[in-house]
Amino acid sequence: MDIFDPVTAFSFLNLARNALTGHRNWARMWRSPPPQPAYDVVLVGGGGHGLATAYYLAKLHGIRRAAVLEKSWLGGGNTGRNTTMVRSNYLLRPNAMFYEHSLKLWEGLSGELNYNVMFSQRGCITLAHTQSDLTGLMRRGNAMRLNGIDAELLDREALARRLPALDLSPTARLPVLGGLEQPRAGTARHDAVAWGYARAADAMGVDIIQNCEVTGIRREGGRVTGVETTLGFIAAPKVGLCVAGSSGLLGAMAGLRLPIETHVLQAMVSEPVKPVLDAVVASGALHFYASQSDKGELVMGGDIDGHNSYAQRGSPVPLDHAVESCLALFPAFSRLRQLRSWGGLMDMTMDGSPIIAKTPVEGLYLNGGWCYGGFKATPAGGWCFAHTIARDEPHALNAPFSLDRFATGALIDERGAGATPWLH
């Protein structure tokens, strides 16, 4: 079945037709089949990266005899537990080229999937609080432009026009000297991204199997032969891991010790208010970022919890820091009440950059180590991982993100990724 089948595709005609019947006649967005005994490719992890990989495997490489295994519900991991930022404002060329490819895929994603992922290019502004910060942002902006990526340096007057709620007064607790904006950056709806990729992959024959936890990875003669699951053994000559904070646990099942630590990253939203913040705002000095959702909530995040954990909840300390940072920048938000908070499991590499690569185990592939950048990388992560699995070699975009770089020393220490991971 094609995702643009005239009966099931989202179109004005179908929306009008189903509105007359109370929207009771839409087909299910994806099937819930039992697992087959064997597949050509098994992808572990039913979040954005696993689903995107399945979609691009089927569309670009013709591999439709594939399955996505999710231990709980689709998109219930980090895909539904982030702050929805999308940007490509990186300094180092490997990251800049990779995330720019992702941003270009984001720009056409709703049309390609025939599903509204609610991508909003409202811009992302990184603030400078010291002269050193400003110099660093100028350097990053110049590097972005040399790489063909949009970047604009903003002075205080431009910031005042762009962010009226930002405290630029002489008595501000934290002075702001300027900022760097990427106008094409923005936000997207995280669950819509998972649903859109799932619907598109399913339409091309990929099996999406929920409530199917992988409990072991079977190997024979040094290569993968399949996975043990709570629904039985599933054979496959190729297995891709897209499990974010659980990368270390799944890697250990195959005898791998990965250069990854798992930490909790928390975020929260305020009660909804009328539009007051029409850009994503980030502060590297505070390691704080905020935006306003389409429902009016202020979405805020900060630093990871310092301790290792596999629990999707954390301590109140990072939340307190996020609130303090928010009020230092936007004092007017002090009257808002917190609505809810959540935590996601972050797979932190030691250089702040991801791993999209073959592993030393034949037939086993890894997509992980995303630190703070997993959601924005969803399209390109799936695109590059599908290429790596199908061709059994990396694409030029993900070749630098190899696993062996931690042995050779060819690290990609990216300050634009967030806080310095090797100090946690």
Side-chain angles (χ1 to χ4, degrees), residues 157-303:
E157 289 71 23
L159 282 174
R161 293 190 298 269
R162 191 75 173 80
L163 303 170
L166 181 65
D167 188 1
L168 295 168
S169 67
T171 59
R173 177 184 173 191
L174 199 64
V176 177
L177 303 186
L180 179 68
E181 179 174 18
Q182 183 183 20
R184 291 170 50 244
T187 62
R189 178 73 183 182
H190 41 50
D191 44 13
V193 175
W195 298 339
Y197 272 123
R199 175 175 174 271
D202 173 85
M204 288 186 287
V206 175
D207 284 354
I208 298 172
I209 305 167
Q210 301 177 78
N211 300 307
C212 179
E213 183 175 0
V214 171
T215 57
I217 298 175
R218 188 179 294 184
R219 294 177 293 160
E220 292 182 8
R223 70 163 297 119
V224 165
T225 59
V227 292
E228 306 282 356
T229 78
T230 51
L231 298 181
F233 176 72
I234 301 174
K238 292 185 175 183
V239 175
L241 304 182
C242 309
V243 292
S246 297
S247 295
L249 296 176
L250 270 292
M253 293 180 186
L256 294 177
R257 184 180 180 186
L258 299 175
I260 288 175
E261 290 186 354
T262 299
H263 294 257
V264 182
L265 178 64
Q266 297 183 81
M268 61 182 170
V269 295
S270 72
E271 60 184 321
V273 291
K274 292 182 178 180
V276 292
L277 191 63
D278 66 347
V280 178
V281 179
S283 167
L286 292 171
H287 199 228
F288 167 79
Y289 35 93
S291 63
Q292 188 168 19
S293 74
D294 294 332
K295 294 188 293 184
E297 304 161 334
L298 293 179
V299 184
M300 295 173 281
D303 210 344

Side-chain angles (χ1 to χ4, degrees), residues 110-128:
S110 292
E112 176 168 346
L113 300 181
N114 185 229
Y115 196 89
N116 185 10
V117 300
M118 301 173 68
F119 179 48
S120 171
Q121 291 179 283
R122 60 190 65 182
C124 177
I125 301 173
T126 304
L127 301 177

